[in-house]
Amino acid sequence: VASEIAGGEDEVMLAIVPAEGARLDPSALGALVDPLLPRFARPRFIGIVQELPRTATGKVQRNVLRQLGTRGAHDRFPSRP
């Protein structure tokens, strides 16, 4: 997603669709994925969504997710600029 700082680098956001009836804790999920990912790939934002926007061929429309931005997403590092 776009940085809050004009001209800044984009931020990593994880958009996840939980299984039916599952409850997810964004902080716990972030702690789970951090050791599995290199530092530059660790998500700052974790958004829980009902479904991922897809094309007619089933590909995830990442541009639509970018346009949605961080609305409603959990900011794991709120003190960052």
Side-chain angles (χ1 to χ4, degrees), residues 6-75:
E9 290 188 25
D10 289 345
E11 296 284 355
V12 177
M13 179 173 157
L14 171 65
I16 187 163
V17 179
E20 190 172 325
R23 299 192 122 195
L24 296 178
D25 176 8
S27 296
L29 185 60
L32 181 69
V33 301
D34 278 351
L36 304 173
L37 298 170
R39 187 172 182 204
F40 67 87
R42 294 177 186 159
R44 174 178 175 180
F45 298 98
I46 297 179
I48 299 173
V49 297
Q50 297 300 314
E51 64 182 354
L52 295 174
R54 296 191 180 269
T55 65
T57 59
K59 293 183 180 181
V60 175
Q61 292 178 308
R62 291 179 289 172
N63 62 327
V64 174
L65 290 172
R66 282 188 202 102
Q67 290 172 357
L68 293 174
T70 59
R71 269 179 282 148
H74 172 71
D75 186 350

